[in-house]
Amino acid sequence: MKKLSILILITIFIFGCGNKKLPILGERAVDIKIIDGKEVVDSIYSTVPNFSLINQDGKVTNENTIKDKIYVADFFFVTCPTICPRMKKNLLTIYKKYEGNPNVLFLSHTIDPDHDSVSVLNDFANRLGANSKQWLFLTGNRDSIYQLAAKGYYATALPDSTEPGGYVHSGGLILVDKKRRVRGIYDGTSEKDADVLITDIEILLNEKE
Amino acid sequence: MKKSSILLCLFCFIFIASCIENQFQNATVNLASGYQLYEKNCSNCHQTDGSGLAKLYPPLLNADYIKNNPTAIDSIIKYGQKGSIIVNGIEYNIPMPGVKNLSDFEIKQIASYVLIKFNKLDSLLIQ
């Protein structure tokens, strides 16, 4: 019994002490190269694909916008009665913490582009107090947004007439690193998860390439 | 003779006291279920403490709009609310959808909770 508890203590010490690293999510391919006659195995991680959407100022936003940035992505819609307001509250808390930090961006994608036009998103962002340089509210082609959600961020967003508001979506906040790799998915409705997300942003900010 | 009248008085007193007690309990029970209904149907936008969110969702806590229109809550819950309104000096203009699947009694419970807990408008509960 005593031995066991010592063992547990030691494991806690080892795992709890070292710098916490974040996993890289998604499928990975293996690339085998021959360098100096030796086989070198390299993992290729999946990354967020290229995209082209419009932000709340009517400006084109694409992969160049997020180049070398850490960012938090989410999917929502303005008239959402259920989980989005909680997500936005937690996002606002995180945004306030990094407001003015040029390394951290926020990308909120609408999944209801028919209603959420540039001007609707602009009004929404202003009411929330979000600066369009750092917190981008994105609209665009419906199918490309849904594809991006599913393929790039492992988030589901589907029209569903049985759901209040007409859509089902995951409510996740997705953390992406400077190399466009997804490093964590958090429950956007949970304040606890928002705290974890902040710690994880710190880890990414301190991560060496 | 005197003894029995004292006894009678005592009975009366206990009776009245238990009555008041009962009423009090009813009010607290209503507030408890009002709280649960509020959490389920309103708190995601107006927040658990009723403080609202930025300029998107107006506060229900100490809201002049509610103090000026205390009887409007029922219909706001039922049918929603649209157009520009000013609450505590700030303009809000995002449509609030009506909350479906609530009975009139449940709406009353939520309204009481908002009036009493957030705005200290106790007197309105005595109907």
Side-chain angles (χ1 to χ4, degrees):
Chain A
M1 196 58 214
K2 216 177 181 182
K3 263 189 189 165
L4 188 75
S5 54
I6 290 172
L7 210 74
I8 290 173
L9 266 180
I10 290 172
T11 16
I12 290 175
F13 192 70
I14 291 171
F15 285 97
C17 203
N19 280 341
K20 189 187 159 203
K21 275 215 169 139
L22 299 182
I24 297 170
L25 306 184
E27 287 173 24
R28 61 192 65 173
V30 178
D31 185 25
I32 301 172
K33 282 186 210 146
I34 311 283
I35 298 174
D36 296 334
K38 272 187 195 161
E39 259 189 17
V40 176
V41 182
D42 213 10
S43 306
I44 301 171
Y45 297 100
S46 40
T47 53
V48 174
N50 289 355
F51 61 92
S52 180
L53 298 167
I54 312 279
N55 78 357
Q56 69 263 45
D57 292 341
K59 286 198 184 122
V60 173
T61 301
N62 55 27
E63 60 280 358
N64 294 323
T65 320
I66 54 165
K67 198 165 179 267
D68 296 326
K69 309 274 187 196
I70 291 163
Y71 69 94
V72 181
D74 74 292
F75 293 83
F76 85 110
F77 57 108
V78 164
T79 52
C80 160
T82 51
I83 55 176
C84 313
R86 274 196 203 285
M87 285 169 68
K88 284 291 166 285
K89 177 174 187 236
N90 288 330
L91 264 174
L92 189 63
T93 312
I94 303 163
Y95 169 77
K96 287 256 165 73
K97 186 148 173 44
Y98 293 99
E99 201 169 4
N101 184 331
N103 297 312
V104 183
L105 293 182
F106 296 84
L107 269 63
S108 291
H109 308 71
T110 178
I111 55 169
D112 184 12
D114 296 340
H115 175 269
D116 296 350
S117 58
V118 168
S119 64
V120 168
L121 290 180
N122 190 289
D123 180 60
F124 188 86
N126 282 339
R127 288 183 180 281
L128 204 54
N131 183 320
S132 64
K133 286 212 176 65
Q134 200 180 356
W135 192 346
L136 298 92
F137 287 80
L138 304 174
T139 185
N141 176 281
R142 178 188 212 89
D143 289 342
S144 13
I145 294 173
Y146 285 38
Q147 286 268 330
L148 185 64
K151 295 236 168 82
Y153 299 105
Y154 319 108
T156 47
L158 294 167
D160 181 348
S161 56
T162 62
E163 280 286 311
Y167 293 89
V168 31
H169 59 134
S170 61
L173 301 179
I174 304 131
L175 178 61
V176 184
D177 69 11
K178 292 183 180 173
K179 293 179 175 168
R180 279 157 70 176
R181 301 176 303 192
V182 172
R183 303 297 292 273
I185 297 176
Y186 310 80
D187 178 359
T189 61
S190 145
E191 272 173 46
K192 269 198 202 129
D193 264 39
D195 287 341
V196 177
L197 178 48
I198 290 176
T199 352
D200 288 358
I201 291 176
E202 290 301 317
I203 293 170
L204 282 192
L205 282 171
N206 292 318
E207 196 172 73
K208 302 212 171 61
E209 317 286 275
Chain B
M1 194 63 203
K2 228 181 179 183
K3 238 186 186 176
S4 68
S5 63
I6 290 174
L7 221 68
L8 194 74
C9 268
L10 206 72
F11 265 124
C12 280
F13 180 73
I14 289 169
F15 184 73
I16 291 166
S18 69
C19 231
I20 291 168
E21 169 104 78
N22 244 344
Q23 244 179 11
F24 180 70
Q25 267 179 353
N26 264 341
T28 42
V29 165
N30 276 344
L31 277 189
S33 50
Y35 165 75
Q36 276 169 355
L37 289 162
Y38 176 84
E39 269 302 292
K40 185 160 172 278
N41 295 291
C42 324
S43 71
N44 46 349
C45 291
H46 294 286
Q47 310 304 323
T48 294
D49 63 0
S51 61
L53 179 62
K55 291 176 187 161
L56 279 176
Y57 307 114
L60 304 180
L61 180 72
N62 301 324
D64 59 1
Y65 189 87
I66 291 177
K67 293 200 167 109
N68 296 334
N69 312 279
T71 50
I73 298 185
D74 295 44
S75 89
I76 294 178
I77 296 173
K78 207 165 182 171
Y79 303 109
Q81 156 98 33
K82 238 193 205 156
S84 160
I85 60 166
I86 292 174
V87 184
N88 296 348
I90 294 174
E91 189 250 4
Y92 297 86
N93 192 0
I94 297 249
M96 165 180 154
V99 181
K100 291 180 190 74
N101 306 324
L102 286 178
S103 70
D104 285 351
F105 181 58
E106 287 172 320
I107 289 175
K108 270 266 171 296
Q109 285 177 310
I110 300 176
S112 305
Y113 180 77
V114 170
L115 290 171
I116 295 172
K117 271 286 178 203
F118 291 154
N119 297 283
K120 313 225 155 36
L121 292 171
D122 298 35
S123 55
L124 281 155
L125 192 71
I126 301 157
Q127 289 158 340

